[in-house]
Amino acid sequence: ITSYILTNIFNESCFFNTKCVSGTSMEKNITLDSATIIELSCRLDNKYSHLKSLQVTWKRGNETIRHIDKTENSWSIQMKILDSSKLGSYSCILKGEEEISAIFYLQVPKIEGKEKPIVSYEGDSAIMICKSSGYTPIAWTWYKINGSEQTAVPLDFEGYVINSVSANVTHLKILKLTKEDDGVYWCEAAFELGRSKGNLKLKVLSLMVPLKPFLAIVAEVVILVTIVFLYEMYSKKKEKCAEDEKEFDQIEQL
Amino acid sequence: MSPPVPSDLGYVPPDGGWGWAVVFGASVSVGFAYTFPKAFTIYFKELQDFFGTSYGEIAWVSSITLATTYGAGPISSILVNRYGSRPVVIFGGLLCGIGMISAAFCTSILQLYICVGFITGFGLALNLQPSVIIIGKYFLKRRPIANGLAMAGSPVMLCTLAPLNQFLFDNFGWRGSFLILGAILLNCCVAGALFRPIRAAPASVKPQNKTEEEGGKDCCEKINQYLDFSLFKHRGFLIYLIGNVLMFLGFFAPIVFLAPYAKHIGIDEYSAAFLLSILAIVDMIARPTTGIIANSKWVRPRIQYFFSFSIAFNGTCHLLCPLASGYTGLVVYSIFFGLAFGMVCAMLFETLMDLVGAARFTSAVGLVTIAECCTILLGPPIGGELFPLMDFNHLSASDRFKAVPKIKIGLFWMAWFEISKGKDPQRSMLTILNLQQGLQSSEDKWAH
């Protein structure tokens, strides 16, 4: 059994001052990938144990769950989590002068996709990688989001290579990219308790795109080099003219 | 009575005028040469994923570039001795451009090693050495300032290249970025165009020797024409060489380890990256400032002492690093480190020029860089190896490691001067006197 405890430290003024507007609310994220038994507890800090008039309820959505009073100031629930229907948010609500709640979010592991789009070119290949940190999924599936439609298309045909370097990592390699390959991709990891998605974006550019700045910079280099050399020839001529004039003056003096 | 010619160039350098354009070109060249391998690391993750290799294999690209840039030093020197700075830098710029453009079409990691590593690395080598050499040809009286300004190109370029690389990568992917970087590197040709040859091209000094060459000269003497191996008999040069080689073992390691160390003690990624930015900005200001200080009439004759002081300062800075607690401590460390780093870099080539004279500097710089090549490559990996071994008190003792060689070197330099003065006071005093006289005479000339 794995136990998760949230200790509430209530704002004192909320109990003694009726003008207090809102109580404190605490949250905790719990990641589960396989079936397990867990215990969630809400505990009131010892300072406030003298406050007896507390009504404690455990709820999931609107449904109330029976809880156990473990000690004088902690209340807990125990559950078997066997499938995705048991996941979600569980809250314990303490009603005193004000209502304070603590929420546990039970969820499947998150998958890292990539925030920044992967940029590649037509005719080139691209690799998209998804990682599951810490938890090993049972299976990986890749989807491409088609244009404006939200329908996912599973990818297991030619031109796509799906590799798994290790159980936690999956690679999707697309050979010979075309414009149609541009868009959003999902990598979905299947766990015992549900599925989890990672988001990736692929941008396919034509070769003309980087060519424009490239040619602009090359042109700039050529222009600058020409200017430097022309200036040099010009200043050399000026020097020569000045020297010739000096000689001319000297000859005149004689 | 005319005073002796201060330099062994055979003419009085202009110390200004077109020289400032040359300094600008040199700073661009030097900037590209030093910062390109560092800024290139942004592409590693993507390249690693694309080619399906390990991080080590990708990191080799940067290592090969660095090794080629330093290792090709003597070749660069030989070419400059023969053809002068300008053609070499322009050719170097073209090589860099071609290297990166071909890298954009690579289909294997081996091709990347060749295109980015060897070709671009060699092009950068052909940029670095000639830029430093030509400063010695254009400046004497104001040479420390010129050197300081030229070396300031490195942090300026780092501050521009790093975000630029990130921007290019986000918008064009790695292939497009390489293509555009190739074009950007072609700007080295512009820098090269600014390197107007002064007096006659150095090749014209050698025509008599050329004909003798055909007459079947001794092979060693022939090599000596292009690369002055007699430098190895010069005691000052040998000390500089050994000192530098040892110093570079620990010189760059702190920069490599600063961000990981910051993350190790719990600082977030962006603040850790900001430490490096602070370092770069302080470095940027420190280099020209050091140049100005080194040029003053109190420091110039004792520039070697100033150099040893800055190395020792560097080492002390690192030794005190473990005392830095928390983020503010590290910020202070970064500021001092930036200062010390800038001071050393600004005077790195100036002291060598001062030691061997501008005429032999061409060969000297080539020989020094190839020696530094090995230790530069070994430094960070050795530091990385020592990290787990010395991790006592949960402090990153790689920092302590970094400090040790540098303190050693600083003391080494200082010790040299005491010894050098004791052993051969006449020679060192003579050089200093010559320089002072030379400065005096050129000052008199300016006065008229």
Side-chain angles (χ1 to χ4, degrees), chain A residues 166-186:
Chain A
S166 67
N168 287 8
V169 182
T170 183
H171 288 195
L172 172 67
K173 188 166 183 176
I174 309 180
L175 316 155
K176 288 244 186 269
L177 287 165
T178 60
K179 269 285 180 190
E180 283 91 45
D181 292 314
D182 189 307
V184 180
Y185 288 78
W186 287 350

Side-chain angles (χ1 to χ4, degrees), chain B residues 47-366:
Chain B
L47 289 171
Q48 197 187 331
D49 289 339
F50 188 84
F51 289 110
T53 59
S54 67
Y55 183 81
E57 287 177 306
I58 292 286
W60 264 106
V61 176
S62 248
S63 303
I64 294 178
T65 315
L66 212 58
T68 321
T69 308
Y70 278 86
I75 303 176
S76 202
S77 296
I78 295 173
L79 289 172
V80 173
N81 267 330
R82 189 87 159 71
Y83 300 108
S85 288
R86 175 185 265 177
V88 179
V89 177
I90 293 183
F91 179 61
L94 285 171
L95 264 188
C96 288
I98 293 171
M100 285 312 287
I101 294 170
S102 45
F105 299 102
C106 279
T107 51
S108 79
I109 192 85
L110 191 64
Q111 291 173 6
L112 264 186
Y113 288 159
I114 297 172
C115 294
V116 182
F118 287 114
I119 301 180
T120 312
F122 188 57
L124 290 174
L126 295 180
N127 264 292
L128 179 60
Q129 262 82 328
S131 311
V132 183
I133 290 168
I134 201 162
I135 291 188
K137 301 224 165 99
Y138 267 86
F139 288 88
L140 177 64
K141 203 170 89 137
R142 300 220 192 106
R143 203 173 56 196
I145 298 181
N147 263 311
L149 281 170
M151 298 301 278
S154 176
V156 168
M157 198 61 78
L158 188 64
C159 284
T160 6
L161 262 190
L164 181 69
N165 264 343
Q166 190 64 50
F167 170 78
L168 286 177
F169 177 62
D170 289 340
N171 286 292
F172 297 105
W174 67 269
R175 288 197 194 268
S177 304
F178 283 7
L179 193 68
I180 297 175
L181 272 179
I184 292 175
L185 282 173
L186 283 176
N187 278 295
C188 293
C189 296
V190 179
L194 290 169
F195 292 166
R196 222 185 264 181
I198 188 152
R199 281 289 156 146
S204 72
V205 183
K206 311 262 180 211
Q208 323 90 302
N209 296 355
K210 251 175 111 177
T211 47
E212 282 173 52
E213 222 180 285
E214 260 73 67
K217 249 184 155 187
D218 186 347
C219 141
C220 288
E221 282 181 10
K222 204 163 81 166
I223 297 176
N224 220 48
Q225 274 168 13
Y226 295 113
L227 201 62
D228 196 355
F229 281 101
S230 70
L231 279 165
F232 284 109
K233 292 193 213 145
H234 189 297
R235 194 180 52 162
F237 175 72
L238 279 176
I239 296 179
Y240 181 91
L241 186 67
I242 297 170
N244 251 35
V245 163
L246 289 171
M247 179 179 79
F248 272 90
L249 197 58
F251 196 54
F252 291 112
I255 303 180
V256 173
F257 287 114
L258 184 60
Y261 176 54
K263 286 185 216 166
H264 180 80
I265 63 174
I267 297 175
D268 67 279
E269 253 189 54
Y270 289 106
S271 309
F274 187 58
L275 285 175
L276 287 170
S277 311
I278 296 175
L279 214 157
I281 294 171
V282 175
D283 190 10
M284 219 186 296
I285 305 169
R287 293 193 193 202
T289 319
T290 313
I292 296 172
I293 296 174
N295 211 72
S296 64
K297 63 175 194 269
W298 301 285
V299 182
R300 184 88 193 264
R302 298 176 200 95
I303 199 169
Q304 309 287 350
Y305 286 104
F306 191 42
F307 187 50
S308 350
F309 162 73
S310 54
I311 298 179
F313 177 49
N314 226 324
T316 332
C317 202
H318 296 309
L319 268 182
L320 295 176
C321 173
L323 296 175
S325 52
Y327 190 59
T328 21
L330 276 185
V331 170
V332 172
Y333 167 70
S334 300
I335 293 175
F336 278 106
F337 179 29
L339 189 67
F341 192 72
M343 282 169 76
V344 172
C345 284
M347 286 193 291
L348 202 57
F349 293 115
E350 172 59 33
T351 37
L352 186 59
M353 271 187 221
D354 190 60
L355 266 176
V356 304
R360 293 164 92 190
F361 178 72
T362 318
S363 314
V365 73

Side-chain angles (χ1 to χ4, degrees), chain A residues 210-254:
Chain A
L211 207 61
K212 281 183 241 161
F214 171 76
L215 290 173
I217 299 176
V218 173
E220 166 248 327
V221 170
V222 171
I223 291 171
L224 283 178
V225 173
T226 325
I227 292 177
V228 171
F229 279 123
L230 285 175
Y231 178 71
E232 190 172 323
M233 289 200 296
Y234 166 73
S235 44
K236 277 218 174 107
K237 271 200 189 145
K238 256 181 86 175
E239 250 180 61
K240 248 206 134 196
C241 281
E243 274 181 31
D244 288 345
E245 264 185 39
K246 254 170 97 184
E247 276 183 34
F248 193 64
D249 287 336
Q250 285 182 337
I251 294 170
E252 277 211 341
Q253 280 183 351
L254 295 171

Side-chain angles (χ1 to χ4, degrees), chain B residues 402-448:
Chain B
K402 299 169 226 156
V404 172
K406 299 178 78 166
I407 277 276
K408 237 175 17 181
I409 305 314
L411 296 170
F412 186 56
W413 278 89
M414 290 254 180
W416 168 49
F417 274 101
E418 303 317 304
I419 300 171
S420 138
K421 271 218 150 173
K423 267 197 180 164
D424 197 1
Q426 264 196 340
R427 179 154 62 158
S428 27
M429 284 317 290
L430 216 77
T431 345
I432 294 171
L433 278 171
N434 253 335
L435 195 59
Q436 278 175 329
Q437 252 190 332
L439 291 169
Q440 197 65 43
S441 66
S442 27
E443 268 175 20
D444 292 338
K445 268 198 176 167
W446 280 103
H448 297 321

Side-chain angles (χ1 to χ4, degrees), chain A residues 1-2 4 32 36-40 77-79 81 106:
Chain A
I1 298 179
T2 349
Y4 298 92
L32 300 165
T36 180
I37 305 172
I38 63 166
E39 180 185 85
L40 304 172
I77 52 170
Q78 238 186 51
M79 298 169 290
I81 312 288
L106 271 67

Side-chain angles (χ1 to χ4, degrees), chain B residues 4-71:
Chain B
V5 176
S7 75
D8 47 350
L9 287 167
Y11 61 91
V12 180
D15 272 312
W18 187 249
W20 298 118
V22 170
V23 167
F24 174 72
S27 67
V28 169
S29 255
V30 164
F32 276 125
Y34 279 125
T35 59
F36 185 75
K38 290 181 217 160
F40 190 74
T41 55
I42 288 181
Y43 300 106
F44 279 5
K45 184 82 184 42
E46 181 74 9
L47 289 171
Q48 197 187 331
D49 289 339
F50 188 84
F51 289 110
T53 59
S54 67
Y55 183 81
E57 287 177 306
I58 292 286
W60 264 106
V61 176
S62 248
S63 303
I64 294 178
T65 315
L66 212 58
T68 321
T69 308
Y70 278 86

